[in-house]
Amino acid sequence: MTTSSTKRWRLFQFLADVLADRFVLPTKRLILLVLLGTPLAGTGFWMGWGYTIFWLYNSLILIASLIDWVTIPKRRDLSLKRILPEQTDLGQPVSIQVDLENRSGQLVGYSLVDDLPLSFVETGPIAGIMDTGETRISYTTRAKERGEYQFHWLYLRWHGKIGLWYRQSRFPCEQSIKVFPDLSAVRGYLASVQESLIVDGKKIVRRAKMGSEFHAIREYVPDDDPRFINWSASARTRRLMTNQYRPEHGKVIMIVIDCGRLMGVELDNKTRLDVSLEAALTVAAVALRQGDQVGLLAYSHEVKVYIPPGKGLRHLHTILSATYNIKSDFVEADPAKALEFLHRQQKKRSLVVLFSDMENYLVEDQLGSYLWRMRRSHLLLLLSLADPLLYRWSHVETENSRLAFVKSVAQRFQLDRRAFQQKMTGAGIQVLDVPADQLTLTVVNAYLEIKSREAL
């Protein structure tokens, strides 16, 4: 009769708990001392002293080991506490601190390992000497994926004064951290001056000074249109003054993000979805700062997240909280279903910004009909990340027939992408196929250009 799997599991669980929580193991110092006894015993036999040196040396090691075993600080004499920030940005360094409290009354050498989630960069053990009282240590790591992650245990291995034995244990410390997309571009915009915009360290188009909505009265400069001179204000101030107009506020911007299989492809240690989400949050911040309403829809084979349009920078936090942990699904995306859902939900004319992959645009048969129908009531902007591998293969040197064939196929794919762009442009739908490092800059510029010509 065999033992049941439940009993085997309990036994294994007990052994795992003993090894992780109440185990004592020798240090390198003890192993070296034991190995050093071999040449000493050999020397004693060669000099005719027999077992005298052997027993004397090993007795000293045994006595020292027993003393060290007894004097090792107990687990109850130590306590650990992790100080973890509530949130961090994807790929950015995050500092984590650990407070160690030693109540044993003696110096304690330790080696600490944190129970990092798999998506965080491993830092290795942290070694040091723990004085009596409280000691604070810190280390730096970074997250490789967005989402919410749990920190469970702190693993500590410590030794006493002599340092012949280690005691190891794990200390429960349940905490969580939210990993948001890289918001450096968003913060850069929110911290920039109102009359200019800086994204990814680059200054892009200025805010439009022309529009249909009155904004302010300011002093006239030579480049201003003389038709907008405010003669009443000029007479009062005895200086030439002009009216300043801006594009009408309160327009609706709907951001649609593809979360299908192709958006999980990595580009420079970030997925296409990560890059698209960062660009989407930046353009959302720009639109909300300019007084427009922003909504968001994320989809794969079904609608994953829908946020109705809202206004104000507080709404940006709502969008971020709902989208920071969305993942790409290992299924083919269905943009037609998402656009149909959006068409039912959003009746007011809006700018629909769709982040997807060009391959989805090319192979989706029903997408064209939905785009044609939606362009009558909405302004569409389709965005795609250019494939760097396809670009390299289309410009490779043709050293042999195989490379010539590969190059011709890559150029064919490139022509298909351009043909789709031209077809959509002819129908009044703007399509942008840009490299990943230019996506944020391009989409913000496109939005501001649409606002400046009041196309909405």
Coordinates of all heavy atoms in Angstrom, one line a residue, residues 284-317:
A284 N -3.1 61.4 -23.5 CA -4.2 61.6 -22.6 C -4.0 62.8 -21.7 O -4.8 63.6 -21.4 CB -4.6 60.3 -21.8
A285 N -2.7 62.9 -21.1 CA -2.4 64.0 -20.3 C -2.4 65.3 -21.0 O -2.9 66.3 -20.5 CB -1.0 63.7 -19.7
V286 N -1.9 65.3 -22.3 CA -1.9 66.5 -23.1 C -3.4 66.9 -23.4 O -3.7 68.1 -23.2 CB -1.2 66.2 -24.4 CG1 -1.4 67.4 -25.4 CG2 0.3 65.9 -24.2
A287 N -4.2 66.0 -23.7 CA -5.6 66.3 -24.0 C -6.4 66.8 -22.8 O -7.1 67.8 -22.8 CB -6.3 65.1 -24.6
L288 N -6.1 66.2 -21.6 CA -6.8 66.6 -20.4 C -6.3 68.0 -20.0 O -7.1 68.8 -19.5 CB -6.6 65.6 -19.3 CG -7.3 64.2 -19.5 CD1 -6.8 63.2 -18.5 CD2 -8.8 64.4 -19.4
R289 N -5.0 68.3 -20.1 CA -4.5 69.6 -19.8 C -5.1 70.7 -20.7 O -5.4 71.8 -20.2 CB -3.0 69.6 -19.9 CG -2.4 70.9 -19.7 CD -2.5 71.5 -18.3 NE -1.7 70.8 -17.4 CZ -0.5 71.2 -17.1 NH1 0.1 72.2 -17.7 NH2 0.2 70.5 -16.2
Q290 N -5.4 70.3 -21.9 CA -6.0 71.3 -22.8 C -7.5 71.4 -22.7 O -8.2 72.1 -23.5 CB -5.6 71.0 -24.3 CG -4.1 71.1 -24.5 CD -3.8 71.5 -25.9 OE1 -4.7 71.8 -26.7 NE2 -2.5 71.7 -26.2
G291 N -8.1 70.7 -21.7 CA -9.6 70.8 -21.5 C -10.4 69.9 -22.2 O -11.7 70.0 -22.2
D292 N -9.9 68.9 -22.9 CA -10.7 67.9 -23.7 C -11.1 66.8 -22.7 O -10.5 66.6 -21.7 CB -9.9 67.4 -24.9 CG -9.8 68.5 -25.9 OD1 -10.6 69.4 -26.0 OD2 -8.8 68.4 -26.7
Q293 N -12.0 66.0 -23.2 CA -12.4 64.8 -22.5 C -11.7 63.6 -23.1 O -11.5 63.5 -24.3 CB -13.9 64.6 -22.6 CG -14.8 65.7 -22.0 CD -16.2 65.4 -22.2 OE1 -16.7 64.4 -21.7 NE2 -16.9 66.4 -22.8
V294 N -11.3 62.6 -22.3 CA -10.6 61.5 -22.7 C -11.2 60.2 -22.2 O -11.5 60.1 -21.0 CB -9.1 61.5 -22.3 CG1 -8.3 60.3 -22.7 CG2 -8.4 62.8 -22.8
G295 N -11.4 59.2 -23.1 CA -11.9 57.9 -22.7 C -10.9 56.9 -23.2 O -10.0 57.2 -24.0
L296 N -11.1 55.6 -22.7 CA -10.1 54.6 -23.2 C -10.9 53.3 -23.3 O -11.8 53.0 -22.5 CB -9.0 54.5 -22.2 CG -7.8 53.5 -22.5 CD1 -6.5 54.1 -22.2 CD2 -8.0 52.2 -21.8
L297 N -10.4 52.5 -24.3 CA -11.0 51.1 -24.5 C -9.8 50.2 -24.8 O -9.0 50.5 -25.7 CB -12.0 51.1 -25.6 CG -12.7 49.8 -25.9 CD1 -14.2 50.1 -26.4 CD2 -12.0 48.9 -26.9
A298 N -9.7 49.1 -24.1 CA -8.6 48.1 -24.3 C -9.3 46.8 -24.7 O -10.3 46.4 -24.1 CB -7.7 47.9 -23.1
Y299 N -8.8 46.1 -25.7 CA -9.5 44.9 -26.2 C -8.4 43.9 -26.6 O -7.3 44.2 -26.9 CB -10.4 45.3 -27.4 CG -9.6 45.6 -28.6 CD1 -9.3 44.7 -29.6 CD2 -9.1 46.9 -28.8 CE1 -8.6 45.0 -30.7 CE2 -8.4 47.3 -29.9 CZ -8.2 46.3 -30.9 OH -7.4 46.6 -32.0
S300 N -8.8 42.6 -26.7 CA -8.1 41.6 -27.4 C -9.1 40.9 -28.3 O -9.6 41.4 -29.3 CB -7.4 40.7 -26.5 OG -8.3 40.1 -25.5
H301 N -9.6 39.7 -27.9 CA -10.7 39.0 -28.6 C -12.0 39.5 -28.1 O -13.1 39.2 -28.6 CB -10.6 37.5 -28.5 CG -10.7 37.0 -27.1 ND1 -9.7 37.2 -26.2 CD2 -11.6 36.3 -26.5 CE1 -10.0 36.7 -25.0 NE2 -11.2 36.1 -25.2
E302 N -11.9 40.2 -27.0 CA -13.1 40.8 -26.4 C -12.7 42.1 -25.7 O -11.5 42.4 -25.5 CB -13.7 39.9 -25.3 CG -12.8 39.5 -24.2 CD -13.4 38.5 -23.2 OE1 -14.5 38.0 -23.5 OE2 -12.7 38.2 -22.2
V303 N -13.7 42.9 -25.3 CA -13.4 44.2 -24.6 C -12.9 43.9 -23.2 O -13.6 43.2 -22.4 CB -14.6 45.1 -24.6 CG1 -14.4 46.3 -23.8 CG2 -15.0 45.4 -26.0
K304 N -11.7 44.4 -22.9 CA -11.1 44.2 -21.6 C -11.4 45.3 -20.6 O -11.7 45.1 -19.4 CB -9.6 44.0 -21.7 CG -9.2 42.7 -22.5 CD -7.7 42.8 -22.9 CE -6.8 42.6 -21.7 NZ -6.8 41.3 -21.1
V305 N -11.2 46.5 -21.1 CA -11.4 47.7 -20.2 C -12.1 48.8 -21.0 O -11.8 49.0 -22.2 CB -10.1 48.3 -19.7 CG1 -10.3 49.5 -18.9 CG2 -9.3 47.2 -18.9
Y306 N -13.1 49.4 -20.4 CA -13.8 50.6 -21.0 C -13.9 51.6 -20.0 O -14.5 51.4 -18.9 CB -15.1 50.2 -21.6 CG -15.8 51.4 -22.2 CD1 -15.4 52.1 -23.3 CD2 -17.0 51.9 -21.5 CE1 -16.0 53.2 -23.8 CE2 -17.6 53.1 -22.0 CZ -17.1 53.7 -23.1 OH -17.8 54.8 -23.6
I307 N -13.4 52.8 -20.3 CA -13.5 54.0 -19.4 C -14.2 55.1 -20.2 O -13.7 55.6 -21.2 CB -12.1 54.5 -18.9 CG1 -11.3 53.3 -18.3 CG2 -12.2 55.7 -18.0 CD1 -9.9 53.7 -17.9
P308 N -15.4 55.5 -19.8 CA -16.1 56.6 -20.5 C -15.3 57.9 -20.4 O -14.4 58.1 -19.5 CB -17.4 56.7 -19.7 CG -17.5 55.4 -18.9 CD -16.1 55.0 -18.6
P309 N -15.5 58.8 -21.4 CA -14.8 60.0 -21.4 C -15.0 60.8 -20.2 O -16.1 60.9 -19.6 CB -15.3 60.7 -22.7 CG -15.9 59.6 -23.5 CD -16.4 58.6 -22.5
G310 N -13.9 61.4 -19.7 CA -14.0 62.3 -18.5 C -13.0 63.5 -18.7 O -12.1 63.4 -19.6
K311 N -13.1 64.5 -17.9 CA -12.2 65.6 -18.0 C -11.5 65.9 -16.7 O -11.8 65.3 -15.7 CB -13.0 66.9 -18.4 CG -14.1 67.3 -17.4 CD -14.7 68.6 -17.8 CE -15.4 68.5 -19.2 NZ -16.1 69.8 -19.5
G312 N -10.4 66.7 -16.8 CA -9.6 67.0 -15.7 C -8.5 66.0 -15.5 O -8.6 64.8 -15.8
L313 N -7.3 66.5 -14.9 CA -6.2 65.7 -14.7 C -6.5 64.6 -13.7 O -5.8 63.6 -13.6 CB -5.0 66.5 -14.2 CG -4.4 67.4 -15.3 CD1 -3.2 68.2 -14.7 CD2 -3.9 66.6 -16.5
R314 N -7.5 64.7 -12.8 CA -7.8 63.7 -11.9 C -8.3 62.4 -12.7 O -8.2 61.3 -12.2 CB -8.9 64.2 -10.9 CG -9.3 63.2 -9.8 CD -10.2 63.8 -8.8 NE -9.6 64.9 -8.1 CZ -10.2 65.7 -7.2 NH1 -11.4 65.4 -6.9 NH2 -9.5 66.7 -6.6
H315 N -8.9 62.7 -13.8 CA -9.4 61.5 -14.7 C -8.2 60.7 -15.2 O -8.3 59.5 -15.5 CB -10.2 62.1 -15.8 CG -10.9 61.0 -16.6 ND1 -11.8 60.1 -16.1 CD2 -10.7 60.7 -18.0 CE1 -12.2 59.3 -17.1 NE2 -11.6 59.6 -18.2
L316 N -7.0 61.4 -15.3 CA -5.8 60.6 -15.8 C -5.5 59.5 -14.8 O -5.1 58.4 -15.2 CB -4.6 61.6 -15.9 CG -3.3 60.9 -16.4 CD1 -3.5 60.4 -17.8 CD2 -2.2 62.0 -16.4
H317 N -5.7 59.8 -13.5 CA -5.4 58.8 -12.5 C -6.4 57.6 -12.6 O -6.1 56.4 -12.4 CB -5.5 59.4 -11.1 CG -5.2 58.4 -10.0 ND1 -4.0 57.9 -9.7 CD2 -6.1 57.8 -9.1 CE1 -4.0 57.0 -8.7 NE2 -5.3 56.9 -8.3

